[in-house]
Amino acid sequence: MCGRFTQVLSWPELRDLMELEGPMLDLAPRYNVAPGQNVAAVRREPDGRRLAMLRWGLIPGWAADPAIGNRLINARAETASSKPSFRGAFRSRRCLIPASGFYEWQRAGAVRQPYLIGRGDGRLLAFAGLWERWTVRRGATLGGSLAAHEPGDVIETCTILTTSANETVAPVHHRMPVILPPEAFEPWLGGEHLPLGPCAADLLAARPVSTLVNNPRNDDPRCLEPPAGAPQDAAS
């Protein structure tokens, strides 16, 4: 799965990688993005690719209760095209979710050690994602960050596709996000059939980081710091 990630995004790098249209956006760095929060995502609009802020945790348009989004932060690439929660978005509402890295946890006895996984060269990743629009229904129970919404409001949400882990990620977790290369961006956004397996293992590097990541309220550069005495290479 992918339950936390980072979006420390440079606008020039993001604009050039994603070939974005529109004015420059001031994107605050995010060191510990958690489900239920807004994330930067790229969608194909009539005039080109544009950046949008989408709530992480997909709420299907037919859902009666928005709490379903808490369980739909990820979609398995192997079944997303046929699952009722995802198949409509898989056909026509795809997105790219830029990231500077993602977290996974390795359990060693009673300890859950977080690892940050990103490109070895430090460049951005692009996760394959799906997005949806959900209209608040009269009488719907809304809590948390959704509490301010009223009937008729449209909430746009997203999910990240996952696949089996490659050799870099597997020592930490058995699943990982689907990471697309630039040449796949347009086919993916255009609804084409693509292989959605793990990326090459040598594209990524994994290193242990501070357990501050375990608390989603912590969202600052300290999340990226290594724990005292931890090895600096991937788990084995």
Side-chain angles (χ1 to χ4, degrees):
M1 64 175 295
C2 176
R4 302 280 182 80
F5 65 100
T6 60
Q7 286 195 320
V8 184
L9 309 175
S10 157
W11 174 256
E13 182 184 9
L14 182 61
R15 177 198 59 207
D16 294 346
L17 175 65
M18 301 289 186
E19 299 180 358
L20 296 177
E21 301 293 338
M24 182 180 74
L25 299 180
D26 184 17
L27 298 170
R30 299 295 312 282
Y31 299 94
N32 193 10
V33 181
Q37 298 175 350
N38 287 338
V39 303
V42 175
R43 302 185 293 195
R44 190 170 71 168
E45 306 288 353
D47 60 347
R49 300 177 195 164
R50 289 187 174 268
L51 201 65
M53 300 304 294
L54 307 176
R55 178 184 171 86
W56 185 17
L58 188 137
I59 306 174
W62 45 259
D65 184 352
I68 191 175
N70 298 331
R71 306 192 304 272
L72 300 181
I73 64 169
N74 293 154
R76 294 178 67 93
E78 300 89 338
T79 58
S81 64
S82 60
K83 291 288 187 181
S85 296
F86 304 122
R87 60 191 178 198
F90 192 90
R91 286 194 299 268
S92 58
R93 288 179 294 280
R94 298 181 179 183
C95 62
L96 300 167
I97 300 176
S100 45
F102 62 97
Y103 298 107
E104 291 295 355
W105 281 258
Q106 182 186 62
R107 182 173 291 281
V111 177
R112 293 182 70 241
Q113 173 60 54
Y115 279 75
L116 176 65
I117 303 164
R119 284 187 56 137
D121 58 11
R123 299 180 66 184
L124 294 179
L125 304 169
F127 301 155
L130 308 174
W131 68 275
E132 272 286 6
R133 289 190 179 98
W134 182 75
T135 302
V136 177
R137 301 183 181 190
R138 190 168 301 279
T141 301
L142 303 178
S145 60
L146 294 178
H149 290 279
E150 299 179 349
D153 287 350
V154 175
I155 299 171
E156 294 186 327
T157 62
C158 65
T159 190
I160 295 171
L161 267 69
T162 66
T163 185
S164 56
N166 62 24
E167 292 86 347
T168 297
V169 180
V172 184
H173 198 273
H174 67 286
R175 301 287 294 180
M176 64 178 288
V178 173
I179 297 170
L180 297 177
E183 60 270 21
F185 292 174
E186 188 58 24
W188 171 250
L189 293 174
E192 295 184 24
H193 176 75
L194 295 175
L196 298 173
C199 67
D202 60 4
L203 182 72
L204 303 176
R207 63 179 179 87
V209 293
S210 170
T211 54
L212 286 171
V213 172
N214 295 353
N215 188 334
R217 289 192 294 271
N218 297 324
D219 188 5
D220 60 63
R222 294 177 302 159
C223 294
L224 309 183
E225 295 177 356
Q232 296 304 297
D233 56 359
S236 59

